[in-house]
Amino acid sequence: MKFASVIRSTPQEAAEACGSHLLRIVQEAVEARGAANIAVSGGSTPKLLFEYLAASGADWSRVDLFWVDERAVPPGDPQSNYTLAYDHWLQPAAYPAVRVHRIHAELPVSEAASRYALEIRTHFDLPPGDLPVFDAIQLGLGADAHTASLFPGEALVTDREGIAAAVYVEKLMAARVTLLPGVLLRARNILLLVAGADKRQAVQAVFQDEESLAEKPAQLVRHCQGSVTWFLDEEAAAPAR
Ligand code: 6PG
């Protein structure tokens, strides 16, 4: 695994650095393989990334876009990760709909997860039991050191075979669909975009704490096969008190 961290003064600058790295990866993938496959997260931090990508004027016609996870809500819901991307990137950039592979989380979550896994298997033309290799997966980090929708205590943090699953997040009392660790670990490039003082402890936990994936699922990124690049603002990168 190749590892790097990029620290910028503000969340905006960290998001722009992340976006320009993602665009480089996409361009290299299209030049090398004629297409790129990427997955993005949701929450709040990626909004700045999406706005940067929308304004970049990039050609998305060969870039298949997937999601790392999705809340169990329909498109249009303020909680929807798809809607966050649509409002701040896909719609303003006129992203080709045929390249957008949203998680149909308006369905019962187990059905949504199975449907999403099948869409990925079909798109990547995977032999049975094989896992997709994304060119880039953008992850966030929760203050509790979760990533994707793999929260502390989630047993699926040890799953290395599956593609996607439905999870129930006790602390949020909410169901979600998430990519599973095996997919995250195989990506050619992992980009972690993290901003805010509330993430300091979690950043330190991933960088320094003794490994306990059950308690700190984001420590998974220590085992990625590809390159892992952190994009942090100064607040998140500062030593935790
Ligand atoms: C989600 C995300 C999740 C997110 C972290 C950080 O659906 O919420 O995919 O893993 O990346 O919770 O979220 P913020 O960027 O809002 O802090």
Side-chain angles (χ1 to χ4, degrees), residues 40-47 68-71 79 81 138-144 146-151 172 176-177 193-195 198-199:
V40 293
S41 289
S44 53
T45 309
K47 174 174 169 287
V68 168
D69 61 352
E70 185 57 276
R71 291 78 178 281
Q79 278 291 314
N81 290 340
Q138 177 266 321
L139 295 174
L141 178 67
D144 59 0
H146 82 262
T147 194
S149 283
L150 299 165
F151 283 75
L172 302 177
R176 297 205 176 171
V177 174
L193 177 58
V194 185
D198 62 319
K199 304 293 176 73

Side-chain angles (χ1 to χ4, degrees), residues 37-42 64-71 81 101-105 109-110 112-124 126 130-140 146-151 154-169 175-191 217-218 220-221 224:
N37 296 301
I38 65 174
V40 293
S41 289
D64 281 275
L65 173 62
F66 294 79
W67 273 261
V68 168
D69 61 352
E70 185 57 276
R71 291 78 178 281
N81 290 340
H101 306 267
R102 76 176 180 87
I103 301 171
H104 289 252
V109 278
S110 293
S114 307
R115 173 180 172 145
Y116 190 50
L118 178 61
E119 180 162 353
I120 289 174
R121 193 172 292 290
T122 307
H123 173 75
F124 284 87
L126 297 174
D130 209 356
L131 293 178
V133 179
F134 280 88
D135 294 294
I137 296 181
Q138 177 266 321
L139 295 174
H146 82 262
T147 194
S149 283
L150 299 165
F151 283 75
E154 175 52 60
L156 287 171
V157 75
T158 60
D159 184 301
R160 294 295 180 275
E161 283 78 46
I163 291 178
V167 293
Y168 184 76
V169 185
R176 297 205 176 171
V177 174
T178 187
L179 288 181
L180 290 172
V183 175
L184 307 183
L185 296 178
R186 281 172 68 97
R188 291 189 178 92
N189 298 277
I190 291 285
L191 295 81
L220 270 170
V221 301
C224 289

